[in-house]
């Protein structure tokens, strides 16, 4: 299951997405796991050699939802951002109220309805559960995902 699909992401697109993800990561205190996930997504998009550029992006000021929507442009890139934001929010196993509120605000600015955001969240949680397919107690894992 490829959660993000096949979307052409330029270095500039990746920088905007990473800046948005760093903004999200700071709403309730940046976690090491969040930084690792952002770095992994960055390297998948632009390659290992661009790590220095990511360090620059990390130090940029927070991006507003309006600026994020304008910079991303296409519906495909906006969907990639929402999915990566949801993945990031789940990185520590718990989505805080501040993270939920920020993602909802950003998604609405990106043109998503509440129903579409709920669907994306469901897809991300299903993807994360599929990564635990080897877990013996799948029913318990599903119950945890519902919380």
């Amino acid at each position: 299951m490829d959660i993000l699909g096949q979307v052409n992401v330029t270095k500039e697109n990746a920088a905007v997405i990473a800046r948005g993800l760093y903004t999200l990561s700071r709403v309730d205190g940046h976690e090491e796991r969040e930084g690792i996930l952002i770095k992994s997504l960055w390297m998948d998009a632009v390659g290992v050699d661009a790590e220095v550029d990511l360090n620059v992006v990390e130090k940029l000021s927070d991006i507003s939802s309006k600026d994020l929507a304008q910079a991303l442009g296409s519906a495909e890139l906006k969907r990639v951002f929402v999915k990566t934001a949801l993945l990031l929010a789940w990185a520590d196993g718990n989505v805080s109220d501040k993270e939920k509120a920020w993602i909802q605000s950003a998604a609405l600015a990106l043109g998503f309805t509440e129903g579409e955001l709920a669907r994306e969240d469901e897809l991300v949680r299903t993807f994360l559960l599929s990564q635990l397919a080897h877990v013996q107690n799948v029913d318990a894992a599903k119950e945890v995902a519902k919380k």
Side-chain angles (χ1 to χ4, degrees):
M1 177 183 208
D2 185 4
I3 188 78
L4 300 178
Q6 297 298 324
V7 177
N8 182 32
V9 178
T10 67
K11 189 174 181 179
E12 292 77 18
N13 299 145
V16 172
I17 291 169
R19 187 173 175 198
L21 295 176
Y22 279 120
T23 300
L24 170 59
S25 76
R26 290 188 281 261
V27 300
D28 68 349
H30 182 70
E31 300 254 346
E32 181 180 358
R33 284 177 277 192
E34 293 171 334
I36 291 169
L37 180 58
I38 294 168
K39 184 176 181 179
S40 174
L41 291 167
W42 174 265
M43 289 189 302
D44 285 349
V46 299
V48 178
D49 296 336
E51 186 176 345
V52 172
D53 297 333
L54 182 60
N55 292 335
V56 172
V57 172
E58 182 178 9
K59 292 176 175 74
L60 293 174
S61 62
D62 290 348
I63 190 169
S64 70
S65 297
K66 179 182 172 186
D67 289 343
L68 184 65
Q70 186 176 16
L72 288 177
S74 77
E76 293 85 9
L77 288 171
K78 291 174 182 178
R79 188 162 309 282
V80 165
F81 177 77
V82 168
K83 286 181 180 178
T84 57
L86 290 164
L87 285 167
L88 185 72
W90 283 106
D92 61 1
N94 180 42
V95 180
S96 72
D97 290 341
K98 289 179 181 180
E99 288 171 322
K100 284 179 190 174
W102 191 92
I103 291 171
Q104 183 174 28
S105 173
L108 291 174
L110 293 170
F112 286 76
T113 66
E114 288 185 23
E116 289 169 328
L117 177 58
R119 176 73 178 132
E120 294 300 332
D121 186 54
E122 181 182 330
L123 288 171
V124 167
R125 287 185 289 121
T126 299
F127 169 76
L128 292 171
L129 276 176
S130 74
Q131 303 305 299
L132 300 173
H134 64 282
V135 173
Q136 295 294 323
N137 195 347
V138 175
D139 291 332
K142 286 180 183 177
E143 287 302 312
V144 169
K146 289 179 184 177
K147 294 182 180 180

